[in-house]
Amino acid sequence: IVAKLYKNGLIDKTRVGISGFSRNGYYIEYALTHSRFPWAAAIAADNYDPSYMAAGIVLNWDIQSSDSNGAPPFGRGLERWLKSAPGFNVEKVQSPLMLEAQTGGVPGLSWFWEIFSRLEYLRFPVELWAIPDFEHGIHNTQNPRQILAVEHRVIDWFEFWLEGYEDPDSNKRAQYSHWERLCDMQRAAHPGLQAYCVRETTGSEPRGGVS
């Protein structure tokens, strides 16, 4: 669909973002690791992820992870996981990625840690963000404060990466300082891609991180 919109002159393909929640978040991660389209930014929110760590720790090698990857992750089946599971293919990611955690505690973070830690190791722009009152969070947001926080974060993320816009609200300065460091990382990791984000001006060493 995106390719058709671009072919018809309806969109700028350098300013396309994607996001997904729950099961759809897995499709986002799969698209980032198995598609060559230059997504400008992405969000995977509290999502199912049939990668190796989540399958072993959270899902106890459940059948849906094996179905998603084409076989159980043992013997020759592991070869299919190496080709299919997003966690084993993060080096192909070219887009800044925000991982949004809503389910509280260790189970919630376990879904994301493989993707997050691998991208951070590679010095690719990735953010792991937890909703307010995360320790009591469940899969769906529970109150207006959480809903508003998610909506503002999503809007800010896409405006930053697609338009180079930063909300002048002084309370968001720390957020944008972190994203500016991620912008430097994006430009360094993928110099051939168009980037509209705002670069850091302090000259400090860019690092990924949890916020």
Side-chain angles (χ1 to χ4, degrees), residues 16-60:
V16 179
I18 52 172
S19 67
F21 168 72
S22 194
R23 172 74 64 160
N24 289 328
Y26 159 57
Y27 301 142
I28 298 303
E29 292 179 352
Y30 192 89
L32 296 180
T33 53
H34 292 79
S35 167
R36 295 183 179 180
F37 189 84
W39 309 103
I43 297 175
D46 218 56
N47 59 286
Y48 159 77
D49 176 18
S51 291
Y52 197 79
M53 179 178 174
I57 294 178
V58 183
L59 299 175
N60 195 28

Side-chain angles (χ1 to χ4, degrees), residues 95-107:
S95 311
L97 174 63
M98 180 167 73
L99 300 166
E100 180 191 311
Q102 296 182 188
T103 302
V106 173

Side-chain angles (χ1 to χ4, degrees), residues 14 16-18 28 32 38-44 93-99 119 124-127 157-158 160-162 179 182-187 190 193-197:
T14 66
V16 179
I18 52 172
I28 298 303
L32 296 180
W39 309 103
I43 297 175
V93 174
Q94 300 185 75
S95 311
L97 174 63
M98 180 167 73
L99 300 166
L119 286 172
F124 287 3
V126 60
E127 171 165 274
W157 179 259
F158 283 125
F160 179 81
W161 292 104
L162 275 62
W179 291 356
L182 296 185
C183 181
D184 285 349
M185 294 173 69
Q186 171 69 357
R187 291 172 182 267
H190 307 291
L193 294 180
Q194 177 69 56
Y196 299 98
C197 54

Side-chain angles (χ1 to χ4, degrees), residues 191-209:
L193 294 180
Q194 177 69 56
Y196 299 98
C197 54
V198 179
R199 304 194 68 165
E200 186 181 34
T201 57
T202 62
S204 59
E205 181 70 10
R207 289 293 298 168

Side-chain angles (χ1 to χ4, degrees), residues 23-35 44 47-55 64-65 68-70 80-93 97 99 111-119 122 124:
R23 172 74 64 160
N24 289 328
Y26 159 57
Y27 301 142
I28 298 303
E29 292 179 352
Y30 192 89
L32 296 180
T33 53
H34 292 79
S35 167
N47 59 286
Y48 159 77
D49 176 18
S51 291
Y52 197 79
M53 179 178 174
Q64 65 175 328
S65 294
S68 296
N69 292 303
R80 303 192 69 165
W81 281 58
L82 291 173
K83 295 179 181 179
S84 178
F88 285 132
N89 291 275
V90 295
E91 74 280 357
K92 301 173 185 176
V93 174
L97 174 63
L99 300 166
W111 286 112
F112 302 108
W113 198 254
E114 182 171 4
I115 300 290
F116 173 75
S117 62
R118 288 175 183 264
L119 286 172
L122 293 172
F124 287 3

